[in-house]
Amino acid sequence: IANTNSKPVNEAYIKEKNVEHFIDTHDYRLAKDINKLITTFYLNDLEEQPMAYFLLFIDLDDIDFTGINRVRNRLILAAVLAILLLTSSFYYLYVKRYKLFVDTLNTKLEHEVAAKTLELEEKNKHLIHIAHHDSLTGLPNRLLFLDRLDNAIKYAKRHNNNVAVLFLDLDRFKEVNDTYGHEVGDKLLKNITQRLKACVRDYDTIARLGGDEFTIIIQGAENEQLISIVEKIFKNMKASHFINGNTIHSSFSIGISSFPEDGDNTDILLRNADTAMYKAKDKGRNTYKFYNEGMTAQVLKRVKLETELREAIEHNDFHAYYQPKLDAVTGKVIGMEALIRWIHHSHGMIPPDEFIPLAEEIGLIGRIDEWMMKHTLETAHKWHEEGIFNGRLSLNVSMKHIENKSFVDRIKEILTENNFKPELLELEITESQIMKKPQSTIKILNKIKSLGIAISIDDFGTGYSSLSYLKRLPIDRLKIDKSFIQDIPNDEDDTAIVKTIIVLAKSLKLDIIAEGVESLEQKDFLVASGCHHIQGYYYAKPLSEKGFRDFLIKFS
Ligand code: C2E
Ligand code: CA
Ligand code: CA
């Protein structure tokens, strides 16, 4: 179809570019080379069938693009807005969900933190409690005790008041532990704690310093009130404890110091109460003592003695003295007792009564007794060889030394080293020491006895022997204590006691000897009563090695 008013340029373009061809595929074509937009227009017949089409060449310059651009821009804006809206709503939803998630996490975390804090607080409380209390009894320990005492002193200073410290030490607790075991010992401490609590007011502090040591702080009490508290404690301790099938007795030695008289700080008050407690122990158990200044002087003296005793052992400042034992009927020397002497470089001779108990207490007795054993066995052996002495050597030994596991082996060694016949050796052990633990002592004494060594009970009559034990102890001899000899034959009681002891020894088939015999009268009474063996100043005082040798030569 040709349009009558078509331009020849356009027709040429149609022919040249084969426009019909693209008309089939595209609705329009931008013909930039001729600056035209080419579009089609279909013409239909009456049956709506294509009948013809027109190609329209529109000048690009004639088209108004601003409208199109505006529409496009609006569309782009709308699209951008839509995208923004979508992303922001997605973001909003996401944040909202995320916040919820974070919130739940946060609350969970808060709960966990709270629980952990509580747990830590509990643990902390527990640790503080442990640091301030004794785990066995639950009582305040030394740390808390000192703190409370310090506070009590400060309070008393402000209010012009007083504070007392009671220092309590259980008597013979070590024996309970050794005999029945630590479990029983622990239970005893718990029982005692309960009994102590019943003796004081709620606000008084009872503390356990360790071992068998307890302290009590009493605020604002006069001495009379303190005494009544102490007496209450003694009364409450009286009843026996029944622990694991054992009946156990307990008692305390108590020392008391007070602010302001005996010290104005915790250290001094505690130390002085401790000192007073030791004095109470010395006086006999189950007693109390108020502190006084003289006690400190004694303690210092003791500390000095202890240092000097250790030095004396190092420097070998000991000497053995010997006292003869005679058969009063035959007049023969039957033996000798070795007695230790400490010759101090400036104090001169220190008697054994002044240092043996201390040596026992501080664990030096073994070394001292062993020194005596070696030295006197050597000397006695020399005299045996010389033929001036054929009697027995008696040695004083402390139970503390005998209990030592190596004792029996050591004594065997010393006997062998000195080629000493065991039957010429006798050990003197005091009745009171044997009766402290008769059962375990029997076992040890049997071992000693099996070596062939004789055993004598020293200071007999002062140690409350039970007859049943006396029968079972592997002993050879009773030595009547000198306190009963002193006043015989004038004192009726002593006379009766001495006679009874002699009869007892005879009926138990034991030898008997009397010590501390100073007069002819005493000797004659003893001989008449059946005790022929005599030791004492009547015959001789304890003599130095040389003195005793001279004595032997004169007598043989
Ligand atoms: P003891 O075994 O009872 O010794 C007897 C004490 O009585 C000795 O005192 C002795 O000197 C003294 N004496 C002897 N005859 C008479 C007398 O006729 N009249 C008076 N009034 N006293 C007399 P000493 O030597 O002072 O010894 C005291 C205690 O020390 C001894 O008592 C003994 O238990 C202990 N002892 C001495 N030497 C040793 C030792 O080497 N080891 C141990 N563990 N203890 C010893
Ligand atoms: Ca003796
Ligand atoms: Ca004696």
Side-chain angles (χ1 to χ4, degrees), residues 76 86-87 102 105 159 162 182 211 268 292 305 316 325 343 365 414 471 498:
I76 290 171
L86 264 173
T87 40
V102 169
L105 265 189
H159 295 85
N162 51 22
H182 285 270
I268 297 178
N292 65 54
L305 189 69
N316 231 331
K325 300 180 177 186
I343 315 289
I365 192 65
I414 296 172
K471 225 171 66 187
V498 168

Side-chain angles (χ1 to χ4, degrees), residues 323 337 339-341 352-353 356 365 369 372 396-398 428 458-459 482 515-518 536-537 542:
Q323 189 178 32
E337 176 177 6
L339 294 156
I340 196 164
R341 297 292 178 261
D353 286 336
I356 294 287
I365 192 65
D369 276 355
M372 273 294 272
N396 293 289
V397 279
S398 159
E428 293 190 7
D458 206 350
D459 300 348
K482 55 181 175 297
E515 68 174 359
V517 180
E518 296 181 0
Y537 296 171

Side-chain angles (χ1 to χ4, degrees), residues 73-134:
N73 287 348
R74 278 190 190 149
L75 276 173
I76 290 171
L77 188 70
V80 167
L81 281 177
I83 289 168
L84 266 177
L85 190 74
L86 264 173
T87 40
S88 57
S89 46
F90 271 128
Y91 182 73
Y92 172 74
L93 279 176
Y94 175 73
V95 166
K96 206 175 157 188
R97 269 200 63 180
Y98 186 72
K99 195 171 170 289
L100 201 74
F101 174 67
V102 169
D103 280 353
T104 36
L105 265 189
N106 262 346
T107 13
K108 216 174 131 193
L109 206 66
E110 266 167 27
H111 283 306
E112 267 173 34
V113 168
K116 278 270 179 276
T117 313
L118 202 73
E119 197 182 314
L120 276 179
E121 272 170 8
E122 287 296 315
K123 273 192 183 153
N124 204 19
K125 257 193 229 162
H126 185 58
L127 280 179
I128 290 173
H129 186 86
I130 287 178
H132 290 93
H133 290 83
D134 162 48

